[in-house]
Amino acid sequence: TPNERQQVSVSELTSQLSHLVSTKVAMVSADFTVTGEDFVMTINVTQILQVLCNLVFNSCDAVADATVRRIHVSFEKEGQEVSIVVQDTGSGIPNALREKILKPFFTTKEVGQGTGLGLSLSRTIAENHGGMLRILEARNGAKIELRLPLDGGSLYRQKVA
């Protein structure tokens, strides 16, 4: 079913992610790396891969014109939570756009290049997993974190009004 969650290891997930993004990463000649310990998490693999691909594809667009073209994905287990951070050496996200870029139909891309739905859908998927998608401070480039519960539960025991 579309909402089915299963246990998957970080190594299995990163192998699938690397395969899915390899063509676009090569098109922009980016240095793509993944680090982190190997642990098992309970997620909807298809949906989380959709989020990670979207973040990496955004990074590919961001580094396309950069002198240094690096995209790094890190996986960390922090207690009962998983932190997946996608970081790039692109032009970064201006403070004025930080809230807007997570909203539906907002895009910074040229007309015809983006729908403005990628990050909005990614945030919805993260929230449906009991987690969150957030923009982190970065000295240069962009740094976006996908934070999820390790066991498929929720990071938040109750909704805050």
Side-chain angles (χ1 to χ4, degrees):
T1 62
N3 294 321
E4 189 177 319
R5 294 183 190 182
Q6 63 191 62
Q7 289 193 327
V8 64
S9 67
V10 169
S11 57
E12 191 177 331
L13 192 67
T14 57
S15 172
Q16 290 182 53
L17 176 64
S18 296
H19 175 73
L20 290 167
V21 302
S22 61
T23 301
K24 184 146 186 179
V25 167
M27 283 172 56
V28 297
S29 303
D31 176 21
F32 178 72
T33 54
V34 181
T35 59
E37 57 187 296
D38 195 14
F39 53 87
V40 173
M41 56 188 144
T42 304
I43 57 171
N44 179 307
V45 176
T46 303
Q47 290 180 355
I48 296 306
L49 279 171
Q50 182 181 346
V51 172
L52 295 176
C53 284
N54 179 60
L55 296 177
V56 172
F57 291 160
N58 284 350
S59 287
C60 285
D61 293 340
V63 302
D65 298 324
T67 310
V68 176
R69 298 177 187 150
R70 285 198 194 106
I71 301 167
H72 181 72
V73 182
S74 65
F75 288 79
E76 275 188 53
K77 183 168 72 166
E78 299 171 357
Q80 292 304 304
E81 298 180 17
V82 177
S83 169
I84 306 169
V85 176
V86 178
Q87 188 167 10
D88 65 54
T89 55
S91 56
I93 302 165
N95 284 337
L97 299 182
R98 290 178 120 202
E99 286 303 310
K100 291 179 186 169
I101 66 168
L102 295 174
K103 292 185 170 30
F105 304 110
F106 182 84
T107 184
T108 58
K109 296 177 183 171
E110 298 291 320
V111 174
Q113 296 297 309
T115 61
L117 290 173
L119 286 174
S120 173
L121 287 171
S122 294
R123 182 167 85 174
T124 299
I125 289 170
E127 290 171 354
N128 287 343
H129 271 74
M132 68 165 116
L133 187 71
R134 64 183 180 162
I135 299 158
L136 302 177
E137 287 293 327
R139 263 184 267 132
N140 44 25
K143 190 174 184 181
I144 299 184
E145 180 188 43
L146 172 61
R147 185 168 278 273
L148 301 167
L150 184 66
D151 63 1
S154 177
L155 299 182
Y156 316 102
R157 295 289 168 231
Q158 60 190 29
K159 291 278 183 201
V160 178

